[in-house]
Each structure stands twice: as C-alpha cells, then as structure tokens.
C-alpha cells in the first residue's frame, strides 16, 4: 500500500469485512425467505431488478455528494440504510414478499451508497502496482465472511426453525452493521476535490478513441452474468436440497475454496498474466457448469460452486484492476475518479438489468428447471465477451505499453 494511508487500508478492509459479514449472514437466506412466502421466480427476479435500479441511481445521484462533500458520511449512511432494510423485513415478516419493489429499492440505495464511497476510498489508497495484491486481500476477506456468515445463519435457522431463526439472523446482522458504522469513524476524512460532472460518463463513452468504451462493454458482460447468478444460484441450491443447512454448507465449502484461490491469486497473480488468466478463467467458468446440463442436483450445483470458486479470481482480478488502472492513468483522469466509478457501476448495472430482464422474459414462457439451467449456461459465457473487448488493452498492459 502507499505509505501514508497504510493503516487506513487495513481499517478500510476491516469495515468492509464487517459489512460483508452482515450482508452474507442475512443476505444468503433473504431470497429463500421470500421464496418460502411465495414460490415465484419472477418475484425474486423483480426484487433483484429493483435493487439494481436503485444501485445505479444511487451511484449517479450521490456522486455529487461524495465528490464535493463528505464521502465518509455516504459510507456510513449506506451501512445505516442496510440496517433499516432488515428492520423493515423484520416488521413485514411473512408479508415481505408483497413489498418487493420498495424493499428492493431501499436495499439498492444502501448498497449504492456504501460501494460508491468505498470504491473511491479504495482507489485513493491503492495504485496500479499494488491493486492486484489489495484485491487478493479483499477476495480473501470476502471468502472468510462467506465461510462464517452462511454457515452460522444456516445453523441458526435450522436450529431455531422457521420464522424465529430468520428473525435472530436479521437481528445479528443489524448488530454487525452497527459495529461497522462505529469502526468507520476511525477512517480518515478525505478532502473533496472539484465539482461533480453529472454527464461526464456519457460524454466519455461518446468520445472517439475513449479507453472506457471497451472497459464499459466488458463490465456490461460481467454484469450480464453476475446479475442473475448472484440471486439464483443460492435459491437453486435451496430448491435442490430443501434445507437451509445445506445452503449454509454449500456457502461454507465454496467460500473456503475461494479463500485459498484468492490467497494464491493475491500472492502470485501479476499484471502480465491478466490476459491469459482472464481468458482461461472465462473458459473454465463455463466448463464447470457442464455437469448441470447433465443433471440438476445438490451435488452438481456443489461441483459447479467449487469449480467457480477455484477459477473466479482469474477473471475478477483483471476486471477489477483494469478499470481502476484506467482511472489513474493521468492526474486529470484521477481527478475525475468519482465520475469514473459512477461510469463503472452504470456499466455493471446495465449488464445486470439486461440479464435479469432476459431471465424474467424466459421464465414468463417456461419455468422448468431445464430451461433455467440452459439460460444459466448461456449467461455463463458472458466472461468471454469481457475478454474479447479487453484483450488488446490487457496485452498492452502486460508489455508495459499502456499510454
């Protein structure tokens, strides 16, 4: 890390770790909770869709606040709104599935505020040389919380049975969000720079020769896959196993493997490997889904989850690092980092919304398991689209010929 904010990087990781722990503790079973109230794939899809609409709007609208005023308060408000969301879920109880749009919008606002502020701070404390290393630690931390959170919540829900177990899990998450908010007050307040340019993301994409054009397209492909995978895989695991404890077991195993793979990636993955690594990762992410085409079961889902956890860093580290490296190519570019983070998120959001609309449209025709698996396989090919758009830039980065 850069010398000046080294302790700030560790503190930011700690705040992020608590936020992730609270999110996976309750969030892993949130869709299952809604599904048990109303078994409707489209309802779950619209819930995810509403979240992404709010995430994108939050990034764009809150960009002015984060750039011109206090990004630390945006971070804390994001954590606080997450707590408010789970309070509302507790209040709604079995009727939560009736309020899909308002609940989804509130959760999306909380996610948008937190990650907008977090990404700006993350950019400020890393550079092109240590970004892969930091991303490896972020992935490692995400895996650790992914091990502890779902296993604990699955155990609590199974032990306490039904509604009571979910309520305990949501309350524990509220307490962890509170701890993250308190810890964030030790993060150093960072100075504001310049005026927020509302239309800069669109102007940049229209500019001939813009480096953001292929990156935005690659991010759209990333969102196309993860928008559906993020909510559907856990739900399919529950449907296949019919037990919250098995979903917790699935998350524990896949997160433990992800921990090891992110540790290895953080230690050995270098910028010169990004192109080959990303292509290999994209191919393998598709290959690990092949068993699902043969048979839908907890076992084949677990096999896919293990394979995904092993290879996902090969794809995600180049995706994350490339966009943030582009932000820091010059002093002028770094000065527009808020606008670039907004552009990055809007690109991801566009892909996620497109993926979810495809999912909802297909499910309106047929909701058979076979159709869902084929759709997942098709969306699972999206990382190859990311590589195709970024391959020239990745080759230039590997040879040190970036402009």
């Amino acid at each position: 890390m850069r010398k000046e904010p080294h302790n700030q990087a560790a503190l930011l990781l700690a705040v992020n770790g608590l936020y992730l722990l609270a999110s996976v503790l309750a969030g892993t079973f949130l869709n299952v909770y809604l599904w048990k109230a109303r078994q409707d794939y489209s309802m779950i899809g619209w819930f995810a869709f509403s979240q992404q609409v709010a995430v994108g709007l939050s990034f764009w609208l809150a960009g002015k606040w984060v750039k011109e005023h206090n990004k630390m308060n945006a971070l804390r408000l994001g954590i606080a709104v997450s707590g408010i969301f789970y309070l509302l879920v507790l209040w709604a109880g079995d009727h939560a599935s009736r309020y899909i749009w308002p609940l989804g919008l509130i959760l999306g606002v909380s996610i948008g505020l937190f990650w907008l502020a977090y990404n700006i701070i993350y950019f400020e404390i890393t550079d092109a040389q240590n970004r892969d290393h930091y991303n490896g630690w972020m992935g490692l931390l995400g895996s650790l919380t992914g091990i502890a959170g779902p296993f604990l919540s699955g155990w609590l829900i199974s032990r306490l049975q039904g509604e009571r177990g979910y309520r305990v899990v949501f309350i524990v998450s509220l307490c962890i969000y509170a701890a993250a908010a308190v810890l964030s007050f030790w993060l150093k307040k960072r100075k504001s720079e310049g005026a927020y340019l509302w239309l800069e993301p669109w102007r940049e994409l229209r500019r001939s020769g813009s480096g953001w054009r292929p990156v935005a397209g690659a991010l759209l492909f990333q969102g196309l896959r993860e928008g559906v995978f993020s909510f559907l895989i856990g739900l399919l695991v529950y449907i296949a196993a019919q037990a919250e404890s098995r979903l917790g077991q699935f998350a524990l195993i896949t997160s433990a493997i992800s921990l090891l793979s992110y540790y290895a990636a953080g230690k050995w993955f270098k910028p010169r490997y990004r192109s080959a690594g990303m292509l290999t990762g994209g191919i393998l992410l598709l290959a690990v889904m092949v068993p699902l085409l043969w048979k839908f079961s907890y076992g084949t889902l677990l096999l896919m989850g293990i394979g995904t956890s092993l290879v996902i860093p090969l794809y995600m580290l180049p995706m994350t690092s490339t966009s943030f490296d582009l932000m820091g190519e010059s002093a002028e570019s770094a000065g527009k980092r808020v606008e670039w983070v907004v552009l990055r998120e809007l690109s991801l959001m566009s892909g996620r919304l497109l993926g979810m609309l495809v999912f909802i449209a297909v499910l309106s025709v047929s909701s058979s398991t076979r159709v869902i698996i084929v759709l997942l396989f098709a969306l699972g090919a999206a990382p190859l689209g990311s590589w195709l758009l970024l391959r020239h830039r990745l080759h230039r980065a590997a040879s040190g010929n970036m402009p």
Side-chain angles (χ1 to χ4, degrees):
M1 303 298 159
R2 294 171 186 167
K3 186 176 180 181
E4 184 269 327
H6 180 80
N7 62 330
Q8 290 287 292
L11 188 57
L12 185 63
L13 281 170
V15 171
N16 186 39
L18 288 173
Y19 178 85
L20 288 174
L21 179 59
S23 297
V24 299
L25 187 69
T28 301
F29 294 90
L30 179 60
N31 287 325
V32 173
Y33 182 73
L34 296 172
W35 175 265
K36 292 177 80 169
R38 177 153 54 104
Q39 297 186 8
D40 182 355
Y41 282 113
S42 294
M43 178 265 293
I44 301 295
W46 284 120
F47 178 60
F49 186 91
S50 63
Q51 286 176 53
Q52 289 305 314
V53 170
V55 167
L57 288 175
S58 296
F59 264 75
W60 185 53
L61 295 175
K64 183 177 178 65
W65 180 23
V66 166
K67 183 168 184 177
E68 298 181 8
H69 302 287
N70 193 332
K71 61 180 72 71
M72 305 311 302
N73 284 342
L75 185 86
R76 294 176 193 120
L77 183 60
I79 297 172
V81 176
S82 296
I84 291 170
F85 167 79
Y86 283 105
L87 280 174
L88 290 172
V89 172
L90 285 168
W91 170 77
D94 289 338
H95 302 299
S97 62
R98 299 179 184 177
Y99 307 106
I100 288 304
W101 272 92
L103 286 175
L105 291 171
I106 291 169
L107 182 57
V109 167
S110 71
I111 294 169
L113 289 173
F114 178 85
W115 287 109
L116 171 61
Y118 179 88
N119 283 333
I120 298 302
I121 301 166
Y122 154 77
F123 174 78
E124 293 174 349
I125 64 175
T126 62
D127 55 36
Q129 298 307 309
N130 62 28
R131 199 157 282 137
D132 286 326
H133 180 70
Y134 185 93
N135 289 341
W137 276 104
M138 274 182 60
L140 186 66
L141 195 59
S143 299
L144 284 170
T145 58
I147 291 171
F151 179 76
L152 176 60
S153 52
W155 179 81
L156 283 171
I157 291 168
S158 299
R159 178 103 177 180
L160 299 176
Q161 298 184 354
E163 183 75 16
R164 185 184 174 200
Y166 281 100
R167 286 184 173 273
V168 169
V169 166
F170 293 154
I171 290 169
V172 172
S173 291
L174 279 171
C175 295
I176 298 173
Y177 278 127
V182 171
L183 187 61
S184 72
F185 281 95
W186 274 269
L187 282 167
K188 176 181 169 184
K189 182 178 179 180
R190 316 185 89 77
K191 66 179 182 179
S192 302
E193 296 180 12
Y196 180 60
L197 304 175
W198 289 96
L199 299 180
E200 189 63 20
W202 287 271
R203 281 197 291 261
E204 182 63 24
L205 290 179
R206 291 174 60 190
R207 185 172 64 83
S208 177
S210 168
W212 274 103
R213 283 187 176 182
V215 172
L219 288 165
L220 187 146
F221 274 109
Q222 178 188 333
L224 193 64
R225 176 188 184 274
E226 69 181 27
V228 174
F229 277 59
S230 62
F231 72 85
L232 188 58
I233 297 302
L235 185 58
L236 289 176
V237 169
Y238 172 76
I239 291 170
Q242 288 298 307
E244 285 91 347
S245 60
R246 299 297 293 277
L247 177 53
Q249 180 188 66
F250 175 90
L252 185 150
I253 293 170
T254 55
S255 294
I257 292 169
S258 185
L259 185 152
L260 296 174
S261 61
Y262 268 106
Y263 173 78
K267 189 171 183 179
W268 290 299
F269 198 82
K270 307 299 181 185
R272 64 180 179 273
Y273 303 141
R274 287 180 186 174
S275 180
M278 192 174 180
L279 175 60
T280 303
I283 293 171
L284 292 177
L285 283 172
L286 192 59
V288 298
M289 297 184 64
V290 171
L292 278 176
L293 295 172
W294 167 59
K295 182 181 180 182
F296 172 74
S297 67
Y298 176 77
T300 53
L301 283 165
L302 182 60
L303 188 62
M304 184 203 72
I306 290 171
T308 299
S309 298
L310 279 171
V311 304
I312 194 69
L314 295 175
Y315 172 67
M316 286 305 301
L317 294 187
M319 280 299 304
T320 302
S321 296
T322 298
S323 56
F324 280 94
D325 289 352
L326 187 57
M327 295 179 200
E329 281 190 342
S330 66
E332 180 185 2
S333 182
K336 296 179 181 178
R337 56 186 174 273
V338 174
E339 288 84 355
W340 302 150
V341 167
V342 171
L343 172 53
R344 180 179 183 273
E345 185 57 36
L346 290 176
S347 301
L348 280 169
M349 180 202 72
S350 298
R352 290 167 184 159
L353 292 180
L354 179 59
M356 284 181 277
L357 285 175
V358 170
F359 171 79
I360 292 167
V362 170
L363 267 291
S364 68
V365 176
S366 173
S367 59
S368 72
T369 302
R370 183 70 179 174
V371 168
I372 292 172
I373 298 305
V374 171
L375 176 60
L376 279 176
F377 192 80
L379 294 175
L384 295 175
S386 296
W387 176 81
L388 282 171
L389 288 170
L390 289 184
R391 66 190 188 282
H392 297 306
R393 182 175 186 85
L394 292 170
H395 282 307
R396 291 199 303 273
S399 61
N401 292 326
M402 290 303 298

